[in-house]
Amino acid sequence: MPAFTRATAHSGATQRSGVLASLRTTELVISKPILPAEIISTILDFLSVPDLLRFARVSRRMKEMVYDDTRWVQMLQSMGCWSETEARKRFEEAMRRKHEAQKAKHEEEARGKAAGLTSSSNRVPNSADGIRKTSVTLFDASDEEQRQNGSVGMKIRNSDGIDVLKPSPGIVIGDLMSSTSTVASLTILKSVRSIRGFARHEFGRIYGALAPLYFDLARSRNHTDPAIFRIYREPEHQAQMLAQLTVFARSDMYQGWHYREEKLNSMVGIFENAVLREFEQAYEAGDIDGKMRRYAHVLVILNGGQEGVDLFIHKHPIMFEKEKLGNSMDCINQAASGSISLEPSHEFFSRLSAAINEQSSIIDRVFPQTINVFLPFLERIGEDVISEYVTPLFDEAHERNVESYLKAIAGIFEQCLRFGRSLKPAMGSGDLFHEDVNRILARVFEPHVDLFLQEELYFFKKKSDAEVSSWERKIYDQDAATESFFMANINRQADKRDFLSSFKKVVMMPVNALPTIPLPSPFTVSKPAAPTPSTTGGASLEVPSGALSQVPTRSATPALDGPSAPESRPPSPGPAPTTELAAKAAIMSTKLKGIRSLFSIEVALNLVHTAKSSIERVALFAGLGGQTGEEAKEQCQMIFVLLLQTLGSRHIKTGFDKAVDHLSGYNPREASEHDQLGVAPLVMFLELVNVGDLILQMVDVFYEQEMVAKKLTDRNDFLDPSSKEKKRFEQMLDDRVAAGLNKGIDALMAEVDYICSTTQKPTDFNPGVSGSPNNQNHDIGPSQTAKQIVEVVSSHTKMLVGSTDKHVLDVFNQEVGLRLFTVLCKHLKRQRISVDGSITLISDMNHYFVYIETLRNQNLLLYFKALRELAQIYLIGPSDAKDMATIIADGDRFHGIFRAEEVYEFAERRTDWYQVKRDVERAMYGIGCGVM
């Protein structure tokens, strides 16, 4: 700051008198402030408001630092009375009005110039208030003060268009303090406006209203001294003013603030305790709408009313009368041994819901809507009432029976959710009341969730294993009982000594010596077997009808549960076979029928129902969200994975493997009968495929409804464990079906080959071989062998329609067609065909072709077209050998299926081949045969 100092006189200089001499010896010395502005500003932060005002009188620079608007904004922000958003809106509105005023002024000046009323050459623009502006010196304090005072006056008069860009340092805080009324002081903090440039003015209003009471309270020695209790007589006004003083104390930063704040808190605590005593007395007296309501509002005004809420909850009768609601042990005591009854718990939650809903209306009558009393009340109910009810029950149920424990947790948790939905929210509960209630109830079950999830997975694994093991044991017992029945009249010692020889007799015996045992199928109609006369030593090989009637003939699997299911299924009393050979034949027939029950749709259904029950119990906790919800979802996925593993690897895969083994060991020449339509092992395997397809559909429906629909898994997530296991299960089923169909086709073609070998008569293709004239005139049409082959093959291909994937069906049909083509070619090479018999052969080939057309496979049709063309070479007479050679050499005629050499081999099966061979070879190769 500038200062004037006397210059030091030079030594030896002569002292001159006079004013001019003094001025000459005076020098103007400019000195800088000793402290930087930053430090001075920090010092100002620790000064009280009166000291700040005194400090502002030191100099104009200090005044600017004290009157800086940001300092007073910080004080208002410390009390929570300043809104930057509101200040920005006010500033933008003021700027908009200012721009509109300037625009209007410019438009008016433009209109004046156009009329010639004004001239810019001889006019000096006036200021906004009509006073002509002149230049002033930098340190003209009087003119600067007049300009500032004039600006303030302008702003006050034009309150609608305040120029907020200029500070207003001329407002006197003392005047505002003296004009503030007592009633207005009760809401002084709510009346603060956020206006840039007027923060000091707003703080001055607050200071004038609250500072006298604040410092008076700090000087008081006891609770009767403060003036606040003499000025305000109503508890509501006292609480409101104490609350404002508590907020005002946040702006107290100068020396002694800790003592003053402690004094204020002490006085607030004394006042609060007095109000709490009045509230408690009214609570005990039941004065709900009187003192209880009044003092609850006083506590809310004072500091939010948390102490009043805690007192209300702590003193509530329901906390001390929990036994009246019910005893959790009744759920165990009133149930049968090993089970649990949820009726007592249902009554408990019903009583609790009625009591809480009654308290909801009381809370609305006592407390204002601005605070949420109902939610803390429910939290205390969950901790002290519900938790203490369910914890002993869960512990006792877990010790007695795991299944009861799982049902208890899931059932009571579901009752808790219904209990939460039955609660009526109070007026101050908020929009997320039911979500908050669910969170409280979930916190009650949190200590039990981890153990519940572990036990649920272990219980399902144990029960599913027991289900499959029980089914396997019953099947084994059934087979053992059947064998024991059939072998009842056989000497076991002799059987042991001659086991290998007797088994060999059964397997290697001619077909017509074995009993004909019907193998019924849902796709075919079995014919009753005719009794076969005895051929060995007068001992009959016929299996008694009573013995075979004991073997189940339905394709369904044995039931595992239900009152009607016996422990085992031994054959009912009846005559047993009297010879070992007949008994062995009956046992083999029984095992062949048993291929249908290699796996059970009933077992699959029971496993799915068990998994559904477990997942439904666990899924209740998945809806809670958070970590508990994620763990519940993972456990649901693990249960589904375990279901597929048990159902697939343990049950279905084993059954298919056994069925494939049956098909691999099938030999039509060792079969007991061929009267029924179809290959018995293949027919039964296709029934297994149908059962497997039903199980797969069951799994798909279960996956969609229980996993995807309930959002327990994401089908589009290729890393999801349940999706991966489901694809693995489907792949396993496809692989087993493919392997079985491959073996089944082998068995089917073996049956076709057997039919060709045993039913094709020599006279079918060579009527003249018998020498009988009656055989020369035969009907035109396919042979019985061709009809039987088509009937057998078509019956098996139709079984897969609708029970497997179209791609698998197409591959199966194509493979059947190709192998049938190979068998027929092999069969043709074993026949002797005459010109007359070629009519039957051509009819057979046309019959095969018509059947292949039904498979709708164009590539396969080419093979049977070639067979049909091949049959034409047998129709050509011996005199047309050259034409026969032309047909044999024409490769395009056979669509590339047969080479000329292969057609030549087929032509060699003509009965007159040696008559036409020379002519055919000469026409084909241009050579002949000579005899030396």
Side-chain angles (χ1 to χ4, degrees), residues 169-214:
I171 298 176
V172 181
I173 296 178
D175 297 339
L176 296 174
M177 292 174 58
S178 61
S179 62
T180 304
S181 64
T182 303
V183 177
S185 299
L186 293 174
T187 58
I188 189 66
L189 292 180
K190 295 180 180 179
S191 63
V192 176
R193 298 175 301 167
S194 299
I195 305 176
R196 292 177 181 175
F198 282 85
R200 179 174 59 85
H201 173 264
E202 296 298 322
F203 182 81
R205 291 176 52 241
I206 297 173
Y207 190 87
L210 302 181
L213 298 176
Y214 176 72

Side-chain angles (χ1 to χ4, degrees), residues 840-852:
T840 303
L841 178 62
I842 293 174
S843 299
D844 286 357
M845 295 302 129
N846 287 331
H847 191 58
Y848 294 136
F849 181 80
V850 171
Y851 163 67
I852 294 301

Side-chain angles (χ1 to χ4, degrees), residues 33 50 75 84 104 127 187 203 219 295 307 342 361 372 407 415 431 459 505 508 611 698 710 783 858:
M75 292 185 180
E84 189 63 31
S127 60
T187 58
F203 182 81
R219 291 190 299 268
Y295 289 111
E307 293 294 331
L342 298 180
S361 60
N372 191 352
K407 291 181 178 179
Q415 289 178 350
D431 298 333
F459 171 76
K505 289 178 182 178
M508 302 303 295
M698 188 189 309
K710 295 181 179 179
S783 63
Q858 296 300 322

Side-chain angles (χ1 to χ4, degrees), residues 742-776:
N742 184 49
K743 295 295 182 181
I745 293 173
D746 292 340
L748 179 61
M749 292 303 108
E751 183 72 15
V752 170
D753 187 63
Y754 176 80
I755 294 173
C756 292
S757 302
T758 57
T759 63
Q760 192 79 64
K761 300 177 182 179
T763 58
D764 289 343
F765 301 144
N766 189 10
V769 70
S770 63
S772 174
N774 296 330
N775 291 331
Q776 300 298 324

Side-chain angles (χ1 to χ4, degrees), residues 279-385:
F279 179 80
E280 183 177 2
Q281 292 175 2
Y283 194 6
E284 294 174 353
D287 189 5
I288 297 176
D289 297 320
K291 291 184 177 181
M292 194 173 175
R293 173 184 174 85
R294 179 184 185 185
Y295 289 111
H297 283 68
V298 170
L299 290 171
V300 171
I301 294 173
L302 180 64
N303 53 13
Q306 187 59 43
E307 293 294 331
V309 173
D310 294 342
L311 178 62
F312 176 81
I313 296 174
H314 179 72
K315 291 288 186 178
H316 199 281
I318 199 171
M319 304 299 173
F320 307 99
E321 300 175 356
K322 294 176 285 189
E323 294 77 8
K324 296 182 179 179
L325 297 174
N327 185 6
S328 60
M329 290 297 106
D330 292 341
C331 296
I332 297 178
N333 298 332
Q334 296 181 9
S337 179
S339 62
I340 190 168
S341 173
L342 298 180
E343 187 62 28
S345 61
H346 175 71
E347 296 176 357
F348 166 81
F349 285 109
S350 298
R351 299 189 192 103
L352 184 61
S353 175
I356 292 178
N357 285 332
E358 181 182 356
Q359 295 304 313
S360 174
S361 60
I362 294 177
I363 289 174
D364 290 337
R365 292 161 57 188
V366 173
F367 294 94
Q369 300 181 15
T370 55
I371 62 171
N372 191 352
V373 181
F374 199 36
L375 194 61
F377 177 69
L378 291 178
E379 289 179 351
R380 187 68 176 274
I381 291 291
E383 294 174 0
D384 293 354
V385 179

